[in-house]
Structures are given as structure tokens and as C-alpha cells.
Amino acid sequence: MKIKVDGKILTLLIVLCAISCTFIYTAVAGSNQYGDPKSFVIKQLVFYVVGIIVMIVIAQTDINKLKTLGVGMYIFTFVMLLLLIVAPESIAKPINQAKSWYQIPFVGTFQPSEFLKFALLILTAYIIVKHTERYPVKSIKHDFLLLGKIGLLVLPPSLIVYQQPDTGMIMLYFAMIFPMLFFSNISKKILFPVLAVPIAIVSVVAYIYIFMNEFFQNNLLTKLSPHQQSRIRGWLDPFSYGDSAYQTQKGILAIGSGQEFGKGLSGNNVYIPEKHTDFIFANIGEEVGFIGASFVLIVLFLLLYRFVQIALSNKSQYTSLLTAGIISLLTFQIFQNVGMTMGVLPVTGITLPFLSYGGSSLVSNMLLVGIMAAIQNDNGDYMFTTKED
């Protein structure tokens, strides 16, 4: 059996794996809180191996048959999200006030909402393509019908995820789906007002925060959950809210203290909770400084650039929608994670793709890479072929 593998993608993933394992080791070793750092590295290597296997399997799949996988994944993740609501803490213990994970013995945690990305991506693209085929003549009525179909797909599981609470994951879903809608030929008369509404809301809230701060603190924020309130207060004024902004404060200190060249590997001395997961970029900035952190970002964006090259060779609307969603999702995820570690953006619990410790995030992102590889194979554009007898 022939296994088609893109050399550039594979090389970049190997580099990211090495970077991930290195800084997971130093982050855990420096905290003296989580135990043997070697065990975390071994688990991350296992996650990478599983992820690459999953990527290869998806890459060999006929791009037109992905819909079946998407339906199965959607049903599975939706059921798992529903069960999380009633699951006892013995198997679904809240982490950082969020009940988003199942605890699986000898494996670790499993986060259903991560794998929902894969299902929403495939099914949203499929719905758009089928809608376009059924209604080749555009009209406002048909555009609203398309929005309704996608809403029925996305909103039910998103509401469950929001209640966990996991606002960051909801942001990822919409960062993926909005570009797909943009390239769906839907009327911009509908799409731009949809985008204008949240912009207007953010602008009004920003005005109230600056000029009516007391009203903002005592009225608007109190409508949110305590978890969301602490995240927002900690972002807006990290040095006035010590408890809620502890991670933000320490992230700023860690990255700033790294300066140009960092303190050296294992030279970190700024304690940050979950430094090997959500805040791994802070550890990178502290140990290898601006130069090393810039190199890591370059590697990530070289991977995205390769995805853009694949996207430019697309042959169909379906694959164009898939590539738009994947590239937008990963780009947003990188900017959000790096921004929150530096205090520029609020802390959302979004991981840094391919670098943060964790199986669910890594394997789910590998599923997306697998889709890109399947699209590339469908285009007949790949770097080299390995043969398996």
C-alpha cells in the first residue's frame, strides 16, 4: 500500500515535536509539582505517534468520504458532551472550574469539545456545498436558509460547551466557521451585518469600561459566571486583581525576564500554574528569549504557509472551504494563546497547537493536518511517497 506523505509537513511536525518535548520537560522539571518530567515527555511522544498515525489514516481517505467520518464524530462528541453534564466527578473532575474532560485511567484526560472541531469543519463544508448545488440561483431567502442549517448544526453542542464553561473553545469554532461562510458565496449584505453586531457590542462595552467603569464592574460583569468575571478582570487589569490574574502576571514576568536570548534551558525560575500546557509559550520565552520564541513562531507559520500552498491548488468548493476553516482555526489559536501569555488577550484556556502538553488537543489538530494531507493527495500534489508492502 502506498502512503503519500508531504515531506515539508512531516519535517515541520518533527521539529515541533522536539520543541514541545524539550519545553514540556523543562517546564515540569522547574515546577517540582507534577512529578517526573520524563513521564510527561513520554506521554507527549505517545500522543504525537498516535496523532501522526491518525493523520496518515485520514490522509489516505477519499476526500469525498470524509462526510461519513464527520457524521460519526459529531454524534459521538455530542453524546459525550451530554454525558459530561451528569457524569460523576470520579470520571469527570472539573479542572480550573471547568467540567470539560473525562479522566481515563492509564491514558489521561479526554476532551470531547476538541474533537468536535473536526466534525463541525467537515459537516459545515458539506452543508454549504449541498446548499449551493440545490440553490444555484442566489437569493437572500436561500442565504438565510443556509445560515439556519449551519446554526442548527453548530449551536446545540456549542451551548453545552459554553456551559462547561469553555468560552475559548466557542471562539475556536466561530474562528473556523466564519471564514467558511465568507467563501461560501453567501451575500455580503447578510454576512457583514452579522460580523458588525459583535464588533458593535465590543465597542459599546469598551466605551462603558473606559468612561463608566463603576457601572461596568457592578452591573455588566455580574451577569457573567464567577469564572468568566475573574478572567475578564484579570485581563483588563492584571496587576490589580492578584488572584484572578495570577497566570497573566507571571506570564508577562516570565517572557519579559527572558529578554533577547533567554536564561537557558531549565533556567526558568518564574512559577506559572500549567506552564507545560496553556502557558508553554511563556516558558519558551523565558528560557530562549525573544530570538528563540520567534524561531518557534516561524516554524508554526511555516506549517501554516504550507497549508496555504495546498489551499491554492484546490480543485473544488468543498476542499476550499475545508482549507479556509483549518488555516483560520490554527492561525487564531496561535495568536490567542501567544497573546494571552503576554497579557494582550484574555486567558481562555486555548492551547498552543502542536506544542502544549495534552493528547486531546494534539490528536484533534493532527486530524486537521490529516484533512490537509487528504486534500493534497486528492490534488496529486505531495512531496514524496513511501511504500508499505
Side-chain angles (χ1 to χ4, degrees):
M1 181 180 70
K2 293 183 178 181
I3 301 177
K4 300 171 183 178
V5 182
D6 183 278
K8 292 181 180 179
I9 291 177
L10 186 60
T11 300
L12 290 169
L13 287 176
I14 291 172
V15 173
L16 289 171
C17 177
I19 294 171
S20 176
C21 291
T22 298
F23 290 102
I24 286 172
Y25 182 91
T26 59
V28 175
S31 68
N32 295 319
Q33 182 182 7
Y34 300 103
D36 183 9
K38 293 180 181 178
S39 65
F40 284 81
V41 173
I42 292 172
K43 287 181 180 179
Q44 187 73 350
L45 285 171
V46 171
F47 295 148
Y48 252 101
V49 170
V50 172
I52 289 176
I53 292 172
V54 167
M55 177 192 72
I56 292 173
V57 170
I58 297 297
Q60 309 310 305
T61 305
D62 185 336
I63 197 70
N64 295 313
K65 295 181 180 179
L66 285 176
K67 172 182 170 286
T68 303
L69 290 175
V71 171
M73 184 69 77
Y74 183 86
I75 295 172
F76 172 73
T77 53
F78 192 48
V79 171
M80 296 301 287
L81 287 171
L82 287 172
L83 292 176
L84 262 179
I85 299 173
V86 297
E89 291 193 7
S90 58
I91 61 172
K93 183 179 179 180
I95 300 176
N96 295 328
Q97 303 179 42
K99 192 178 181 182
S100 305
W101 298 267
Y102 288 96
Q103 278 73 38
I104 303 175
F106 308 110
V107 175
T109 58
F110 168 69
Q111 187 175 3
S113 57
E114 280 282 359
F115 295 91
L116 184 62
K117 296 184 298 189
F118 176 83
L120 292 180
L121 173 77
I122 292 174
L123 295 183
T124 299
Y126 180 79
I127 288 172
I128 291 173
V129 170
K130 289 301 178 182
H131 181 87
T132 303
E133 291 176 354
R134 184 172 182 179
Y135 303 104
V137 180
K138 291 176 56 179
S139 71
I140 297 297
K141 177 183 176 181
H142 294 156
D143 287 345
F144 274 113
L145 180 60
L146 175 59
L147 288 177
K149 292 176 182 178
I150 295 175
L152 288 174
L153 173 76
V154 176
L155 290 180
S158 296
L159 290 173
I160 298 174
V161 174
Y162 179 78
Q163 293 297 322
Q164 290 180 347
D166 192 349
T167 309
M169 193 60 67
I170 302 299
M171 294 167 63
L172 290 183
Y173 297 158
F174 283 94
M176 175 179 68
I177 291 171
F178 186 82
M180 298 173 73
L181 286 172
F182 183 84
F183 290 107
S184 69
N185 295 323
I186 194 172
S187 174
K188 302 305 181 285
K189 294 179 181 179
I190 294 177
L191 203 56
F192 283 129
V194 170
L195 180 61
V197 170
I199 292 177
I201 292 174
V202 171
S203 300
V204 171
V205 171
Y207 177 87
I208 295 173
Y209 171 73
I210 295 171
F211 298 103
M212 305 169 61
N213 191 264
E214 185 175 345
F215 178 81
F216 176 86
Q217 297 287 350
N218 297 330
N219 292 275
L220 290 187
L221 275 186
T222 55
K223 305 297 183 183
L224 303 176
S225 69
H227 176 72
Q228 293 167 332
Q229 290 181 46
S230 65
R231 287 286 175 88
I232 293 175
R233 286 195 170 100
W235 166 51
L236 293 174
D237 195 356
F239 294 98
S240 295
Y241 296 93
D243 294 335
S244 59
Y246 183 78
Q247 279 187 305
T248 302
Q249 293 175 18
K250 294 298 183 179
I252 294 171
L253 178 60
I255 294 174
S257 64
Q259 299 186 31
E260 291 92 344
F261 301 101
K263 304 172 183 176
L265 293 178
S266 299
N268 64 81
N269 54 18
V270 178
Y271 170 74
I272 307 176
E274 310 299 332
K275 199 173 188 178
H276 58 301
T277 57
D278 300 352
F279 273 72
I280 195 168
F281 188 77
N283 189 55
I284 293 171
E286 183 180 6
E287 294 191 350
V288 295
F290 175 81
I291 301 300
S294 297
F295 171 77
V296 171
L297 291 178
I298 288 171
V299 175
L300 284 169
F301 282 103
L302 282 175
L303 182 63
L304 289 176
Y305 176 69
R306 183 60 185 146
F307 291 169
V308 171
Q309 289 180 314
I310 296 171
L312 293 176
S313 63
N314 284 335
K315 297 179 180 179
S316 67
Q317 182 190 29
Y318 183 54
T319 54
S320 295
L321 293 170
L322 291 174
T323 55
I326 292 170
I327 293 169
S328 177
L329 169 66
L330 293 176
T331 301
F332 177 84
Q333 194 170 349
I334 292 168
F335 274 105
Q336 171 59 36
N337 179 274
V338 173
M340 77 180 191
T341 61
M342 297 189 295
V344 178
L345 295 172
V347 176
T348 57
I350 291 177
T351 58
L352 186 58
F354 310 106
L355 293 175
S356 293
Y357 174 80
S360 294
S361 174
L362 180 56
V363 175
S364 68
N365 286 329
M366 285 295 194
L367 281 169
L368 302 181
V369 178
I371 294 176
M372 294 300 302
I375 293 170
Q376 186 181 28
N377 292 337
D378 185 62
N379 294 336
D381 174 29
Y382 49 87
M383 296 306 298
F384 60 85
T385 302
T386 61
K387 294 184 179 180
E388 186 180 89
D389 297 329

